[in-house]
Amino acid sequence: MSAILHKEIREEEEERPGCKFVRTMTSLMQRSSGLVQRRTEASRSAAAAEKEKSPGEDEDESRRGEEEEDDDKGDAKETRLTLMEEVLLLGLKDREGYTSFWNDCISSGLRGCMLIELALRGRLQLEASGMRRKSLLSRKVIYKSDAPTGDMLLDEALKHVKETQPPETVQSWIELLSGETWNPLKLHYQLRNVRERLAKNLVEKGVLTTEKQNFLLFDMTTHPLTNNNIKQRLVRKVQEAVLEKWVNDPQRMDKRALALLFLAHSSDVLENAFSPLLDDQYDLAMKRVRMLLDLEPEAEAAKSGANELLWAVVAAFTK
């Protein structure tokens, strides 16, 4: 009887040749199912490990991301300030909103800021030194481009330089823009109300506010500080230039930071940036500032990549 059954099964298989193929596919599907299960288990274990990860690590990563975003925002805000605005902001008293009455250097310092700002923006340059190798202070300032800068004070100074023939030297321009000239025919070069106009720019940028103060005999418009973050970022920038980010080579320093150090010193406001430092840091910072002041502008201007007009302004204030 069993022999007859085996024979019938064999005949049935011969009549259906696809049975072997079906069994083979079933086997493959079972193997595939096992592989999927193993992969699923692996992904579950990875997810469990991620959950077991300490929350402190997640907080550190998110904090680092926030700090990077803050740095980007800080850089964007910092680049909005011109050299003149930065020097004035360093000189302003935070609560009172005005510069020291005893500071008679900031006026000429702000005019030097304008010349360097225009040079860094590619609007001004010094004439060629020529075969006789003229000194920086004897070379004339010429305009390189008259494209508007978007700043009224800078555009006004640029217009004066462009329309003046024959050209003037850096020293002459600092005096003319300050109104320090005995020639009545050149008094029209004076830029008036520079500090007030710069303060209004800072008000528009949300750094200062405007108030009226009574000084017994007269009323004076003052501009107290409202955004302390920008002021502190500026102070930190000045401090880092001679401390953490000091490179001991002016050619490798950021040109704006280098110019800010020289101009803040010439405007007698650098002390305001260094006063919060500890004694050791203060001594080191002032030592490095003196190193910069002892540099020879002629030699530095002759080096590759140097901005000649920047060093000409430095020479005008340190000669």
Side-chain angles (χ1 to χ4, degrees):
M1 186 69 179
S2 60
I4 294 172
L5 287 172
H6 283 301
K7 184 178 179 181
E8 289 179 356
I9 291 171
R10 282 196 301 272
E11 288 176 354
E12 194 173 359
E13 289 178 353
E14 288 175 359
E15 291 175 357
R16 293 183 297 174
C19 287
K20 290 183 179 180
F21 174 78
V22 172
R23 286 196 298 272
T24 304
M25 289 299 297
T26 301
S27 176
L28 289 173
M29 289 176 66
Q30 290 174 349
R31 293 176 186 173
S32 176
S33 176
L35 181 61
V36 170
Q37 288 178 350
R38 286 194 296 273
R39 288 181 177 174
T40 303
E41 290 175 1
S43 62
R44 286 175 181 169
S45 61
E50 185 70 18
K51 288 181 180 179
E52 292 175 0
K53 187 179 178 182
S54 64
E57 295 179 9
D58 292 336
E59 292 177 1
D60 290 341
E61 290 180 1
S62 62
R63 194 180 300 115
R64 282 195 295 270
E66 290 175 359
E67 288 175 356
E68 290 176 359
E69 290 179 1
D70 291 341
D71 289 342
D72 292 341
K73 291 178 182 177
D75 292 341
K77 289 181 180 178
E78 191 175 355
T79 54
R80 292 191 302 127
L81 301 183
T82 63
L83 285 173
M84 304 93 69
E85 292 166 349
E86 289 178 330
V87 168
L88 180 65
L89 190 55
L90 288 175
L92 281 175
K93 299 179 180 180
D94 294 352
R95 293 184 180 180
E96 293 82 352
Y98 52 83
T99 57
S100 171
F101 292 123
W102 309 109
N103 189 339
D104 58 354
C105 304
I106 195 169
S107 178
S108 58
L110 290 174
R111 272 64 177 187
C113 289
M114 294 178 194
L115 295 177
I116 294 181
E117 183 75 38
L118 288 169
L120 294 177
R121 296 191 185 198
R123 302 304 197 278
L124 297 180
Q125 64 182 11
L126 288 183
E127 65 177 352
S129 58
M131 296 295 292
R132 295 184 180 181
R133 302 295 300 175
K134 293 181 182 179
S135 66
L136 291 173
L137 293 180
S138 63
R139 293 162 65 180
K140 309 294 185 181
V141 179
I142 57 177
Y143 83 95
K144 186 178 179 181
S145 169
D146 60 355
T149 63
D151 184 286
M152 292 186 65
L153 278 171
L154 292 177
D155 289 340
E156 191 175 339
L158 180 61
K159 181 181 178 183
H160 284 319
V161 175
K162 179 185 175 182
E163 296 177 352
T164 300
Q165 293 298 330
E168 300 283 353
T169 63
V170 164
Q171 183 71 58
S172 296
W173 274 120
I174 293 174
E175 295 172 356
L176 291 173
L177 296 175
S178 302
E180 298 174 359
T181 176
W182 294 100
N183 189 342
L185 298 178
K186 293 186 176 182
L187 287 176
H188 68 283
Y189 288 122
Q190 180 183 5
L191 298 179
R192 301 182 183 277
N193 303 319
V194 169
R195 270 177 270 190
E196 180 64 22
R197 292 163 71 180
L198 289 173
K200 287 182 178 179
N201 288 346
L202 291 171
V203 170
E204 292 176 359
K205 294 177 180 180
V207 184
L208 306 177
T209 188
T210 302
E211 294 180 358
K212 287 277 188 182
Q213 284 198 21
N214 181 270
F215 288 88
L216 296 179
L217 299 177
F218 61 94
D219 291 336
M220 187 176 79
T221 302
T222 61
H223 299 281
L225 184 69
T226 58
N227 191 330
N228 191 52
N229 292 333
I230 293 181
K231 175 72 175 280
Q232 291 304 313
R233 190 159 46 241
L234 174 61
V235 170
R236 191 164 60 247
K237 171 184 173 182
V238 176
Q239 294 173 353
E240 289 177 347
V242 290
L243 293 175
E244 292 90 345
K245 296 183 179 180
W246 175 252
V247 293
N248 200 28
D249 181 3
Q251 299 302 325
R252 291 169 53 202
M253 292 180 66
D254 176 70
K255 286 185 173 59
R256 281 190 169 273
L258 180 65
L260 182 58
L261 286 171
F262 279 118
L263 294 166
H265 179 270
S266 302
S267 303
D268 198 20
V269 299
L270 188 59
E271 178 71 22
N272 297 344
F274 289 164
S275 57
L277 294 173
L278 300 175
D279 291 343
D280 293 343
Q281 292 177 320
Y282 178 86
D283 292 339
L284 180 59
M286 291 306 299
K287 176 184 177 182
R288 288 172 173 171
V289 169
R290 284 191 292 270
M291 289 172 59
L292 291 175
L293 295 174
D294 290 339
L295 292 172
E296 179 54 51
E298 296 285 349
E300 296 299 325
K303 294 180 180 179
S304 176
N307 189 304
E308 293 182 323
L309 200 148
L310 186 156
W311 288 105
V313 173
V314 171
F317 282 117
T318 59
K319 66 179 180 61

